[in-house]
Amino acid sequence: MSDTHSETVAYVRETMLPPEPPPLAESGAIKWLRENLFSGPLNIALTFVGLGIVWLVVSTVGPWLSHSVWNAGSMAECRQVIAETWGQGATGACFALIKHRWNQFMFGFYPQALYWRPVLAFGLLFLALAPVLFSESARARRIVLGLSMALTFVIAMVLGAPMAALMGMAVLMLAWAALIETRPQWSLLASLVYPFIAVWLLWGGSLWSEAMVLAGFGLGFVVWRLLAARFGLLAFALAVVAAVAWWLLLAGPLASMLAGVLPLRLRPVSSDQFGGFVLSITIGVAGIALSLPLGVILALARRSDLPVIKLLAVMFIEFIRGVPLITLLFVASLLLNYFLPPGTNFDIILRVIIMVTLFAAAYMAEVIRGGLAALPKGQYEAADALGLDYWKAQRLIVLPQALKISIPGIVSTFIGMFKDTTLVVFVGLFDPLKAMADTIRASFEWKGAYWEPYIFVGAIFFILCFGMSRYSMYLERRLKRDHR
Amino acid sequence: MTRQTTAIPAAGDEAAIEIVKLNKWYGTFHVLRDIDLVVSRGERIVIAGPSGSGKSTLIRCINRLEEHQAGKIIVDGTELTHDLKNIDKVRSEVGMVFQHFNLFPHLTILENCTLAPIWVRKIPKREAEETAMHFLTKVKIPEQAHKYPGQLSGGQQQRVAIARALCMRPRIMLFDEPTSALDPEMIKEVLDTMIELAEDGMTMLCVTHEMGFAQAVAHRVIFMDQGQIVEQNTPREFFNNPRSERTKLFLSQILGH
């Protein structure tokens, strides 16, 4: 021991030891195998059982998939091709069906000449979301913007959009993207206007009716802003009254008057022509966008000190969670008609969206309540001690943290809700999984195709849901604040 | 900490805090019993006592983090009642520093300091940031302004918490055991910050076990036990010549080793 006085009792270190790298771990495939697969008799047995199961699955599904046929006009033709190539009795998938009926899976019975409209609505969705979803990373945002614009344009062109529409969408998308990149704050307003553009593109009709609905929201907001300082919560009620009065009394006549001056019309498409993924994504996106704010409000209400508000929130959440979604959908399709005054034409997709939203919001509320409960009491106290009022404390301190904690649960609820949109088949809408597959199977050519549509629709759902899941993980990493 | 204690400022026309016959219960547990306390402007008070004696509860009543059931609390001329406007007014005048810092982990240090001035005081962002940098410099961590609280040591976090409270330009500062959650090496940096604040003439109420700090800066030490004020005196008299048996026992326990 040359560098210490270890031979004496009193010990003084004279040189500090420098940090050294850890010893090189033993590595190699054999070590890994031994440790993870063959570490004992039980594990050896389990390994072989596992291998057996894998073999069983692969040996049955493998040939079926590898024999798949992608070019054929009918099921009979498919079978013939398989028999010719792989011999009599060979099985094989007939994915030619997907190719043949692709448009129907995607658009349902939407008029073929108008396919570009849902495509544009879907493409614009990414423009509306990009500034919100990728606010912190300009690179990711630009990639998303560029890809969605290019794909939307190309797909719309391939689907035969008229020249005027192509020009219009190019100008709209480029202007919007420029707005996002130069004035991010203003682009959030454009994102708020997006739902109205999407509704117009999907259902067609006069743009003025959507504009008047939007103006009603604007009017309500202005009333609230002007009166909030003086009347508090009463101002909110007055704003609602003003907006409703606007919609009921002025919106209709004004819309038709403006349409007379400047007709901005698209060919109307009725709700029963919707189907396939256009329908699923419409309901899913609307449900997701509406259920999050509603869930936040319900979660806050359930933790409120005001007994009436708390009771209402508890009753709502427990009732909706206690009832199967299908029940609510039946209520939407059948019962609402009895309650509403005769003659009211209340769109079926809108009714379904409302029910799906309420259903998801109840789950969302509980997920967010978990996040709120996980926040240390000190955060509330610090916000109080600084003089922040309830709403400011919620908005600036509590919700940003609670929502961040709840991201996995929120996205789970989104994913669950999106998949649940296939249940609209029970109220006569053409969801892609059951209704669309049955429709295609009912045709003479594709009789007997059983697995293929399910596999295809399942794969599309998987891609969309997996995308949401990956985004949520990206967001969690982005928002991590503790160890950077 | 051998500084001479300055004289208690004369109780002026209006007291900073006036507490009259304050009573509070947690359920059936009588946690504060008949507390009477007048704090003059510029006065520095240290509140000591065994745990569970109600000292934290007392100062948390002053900005109504805890609600009292009987008695009166008047802060800076505003009485604390159920009126939310009064509560928010008092809270924006009274700064508070907590045992566990309670910084907002999702905001940077600078944002922690500017949030309340911007949203409560309606001060323009740039001005609020200048004020924040001024106070962060005062607590000697301006270079950490753009980090997040999770990246700072406990002592640094507590100094940020003090700066955050000061950014609201409070007239009164409450400290609820500000050094109890800190490592010994970090206690001094926080106490030094507090001493500096005391020298600027801030009205301070401080719940703490740091008796050296009490001796150095307090005008008055209040000893609490079982929800009551048992003894109050100047630090010199309090430490050298305690009157009650309970105080003697407490002092022998905390100074005994």
Side-chain angles (χ1 to χ4, degrees), chain B residues 24-31 69:
Chain B
K24 176 172 173 61
W25 289 262
Y26 284 132
T28 56
F29 177 59
H30 199 173
V31 56
Q69 279 92 34

Side-chain angles (χ1 to χ4, degrees), chain B residues 73-256:
Chain B
I73 303 178
I74 301 168
V75 182
D76 220 17
T78 310
E79 184 176 354
L80 282 170
T81 56
H82 283 284
D83 188 341
L84 288 176
K85 283 234 166 65
N86 281 356
I87 294 175
D88 281 339
K89 182 163 176 254
V90 166
R91 282 174 176 168
S92 63
E93 300 294 335
V94 177
M96 181 143 191
V97 176
F98 298 87
Q99 181 178 358
H100 296 288
F101 332 136
N102 297 352
L103 294 179
F104 305 128
H106 63 301
L107 301 176
T108 63
I109 299 306
L110 190 63
E111 287 165 341
N112 264 278
C113 293
T114 56
L115 183 108
I118 290 173
W119 289 92
V120 179
R121 288 251 194 270
K122 312 278 179 206
I123 290 171
K125 189 172 175 220
R126 176 163 307 188
E127 200 183 320
E129 283 178 351
E130 276 166 20
T131 312
M133 286 314 293
H134 168 75
F135 284 112
L136 285 174
T137 313
K138 202 172 155 76
V139 301
K140 302 192 180 66
I141 32 178
E143 72 282 359
Q144 314 279 13
H146 296 286
K147 289 192 180 167
Y148 288 94
Q151 297 165 290
L152 269 55
S153 74
Q156 290 174 323
Q157 289 195 42
Q158 192 61 299
R159 284 185 283 150
V160 171
I162 293 173
R164 176 176 73 178
L166 291 176
C167 283
M168 285 291 280
R169 307 258 184 207
R171 291 155 160 253
I172 300 162
M173 284 285 285
L174 308 175
F175 293 86
D176 188 2
E177 305 204 22
T179 56
S180 300
L182 296 173
D183 292 341
E185 285 186 65
M186 293 169 184
I187 290 179
K188 187 173 176 300
E189 61 186 57
V190 171
L191 289 181
D192 285 347
T193 308
M194 290 166 65
I195 290 169
E196 215 172 288
L197 196 59
E199 282 164 355
D200 294 347
M202 176 67 78
T203 310
M204 292 167 72
L205 267 84
C206 185
V207 172
T208 185
H209 298 296
E210 297 296 329
M211 292 302 131
F213 172 78
Q215 274 172 325
V217 302
H219 295 120
R220 184 157 40 137
V221 178
I222 291 176
F223 177 69
M224 286 182 71
D225 191 27
Q226 294 176 21
Q228 299 150 68
I229 295 180
V230 175
E231 185 165 343
Q232 48 177 316
N233 216 329
T234 59
R236 184 176 301 173
E237 282 296 298
F238 181 81
F239 289 108
N240 298 335
N241 192 12
R243 310 273 160 85
S244 84
E245 285 307 313
R246 188 67 195 85
T247 314
K248 285 177 191 164
L249 180 66
F250 176 74
L251 286 175
S252 73
Q253 274 164 348
I254 67 166
L255 301 174

Side-chain angles (χ1 to χ4, degrees), chain A residues 136 229 376-390 392 395-398 400-401 404 479-484, chain B residues 60 63 65-66 88 91-92 94-96 98 101-107 112 115-116 119-120 122 148-151 164-165 168:
Chain A
E136 286 191 39
K377 199 165 154 249
Q379 292 291 309
Y380 293 90
E381 289 181 347
D384 283 346
L386 285 169
L388 294 166
D389 64 28
Y390 175 82
K392 281 178 193 150
R395 191 178 129 204
L396 301 166
I397 308 299
V398 176
Q401 296 185 65
K404 186 180 120 191
L479 294 178
K480 210 168 172 169
R481 290 285 186 258
D482 349 6
H483 309 287
R484 268 214 281 192
Chain B
R60 288 159 61 87
N63 64 355
L65 288 183
E66 304 280 353
D88 281 339
R91 282 174 176 168
S92 63
V94 177
M96 181 143 191
F98 298 87
F101 332 136
N102 297 352
L103 294 179
F104 305 128
H106 63 301
L107 301 176
N112 264 278
L115 183 108
W119 289 92
V120 179
K122 312 278 179 206
Y148 288 94
Q151 297 165 290
R164 176 176 73 178
M168 285 291 280

Side-chain angles (χ1 to χ4, degrees), chain A residues 24 43 66 124 362:
Chain A
L24 287 175
N43 281 350
S66 66
L124 291 181

Side-chain angles (χ1 to χ4, degrees), chain A residues 262-287:
Chain A
L262 178 67
L264 286 171
R265 275 185 72 78
L266 285 175
R267 200 174 114 197
V269 176
S270 72
S271 282
D272 49 11
Q273 288 173 291
F274 279 58
F277 281 103
V278 166
L279 179 71
S280 276
I281 292 173
T282 304
I283 297 174
V285 169

Side-chain angles (χ1 to χ4, degrees), chain A residues 53-67:
Chain A
I53 292 172
V54 170
W55 170 245
L56 206 67
V57 172
V58 169
S59 63
T60 27
V61 180
W64 186 73
L65 280 178
S66 66
H67 297 174

Side-chain angles (χ1 to χ4, degrees), chain A residues 273-313:
Chain A
Q273 288 173 291
F274 279 58
F277 281 103
V278 166
L279 179 71
S280 276
I281 292 173
T282 304
I283 297 174
V285 169
I288 285 173
L290 295 171
S291 66
L292 183 61
L294 190 57
V296 168
I297 291 169
L298 281 170
L300 290 178
R302 194 168 182 170
R303 286 172 64 89
S304 167
D305 293 332
L306 308 170
V308 178
I309 292 193
K310 184 176 175 164
L311 183 72
L312 286 175

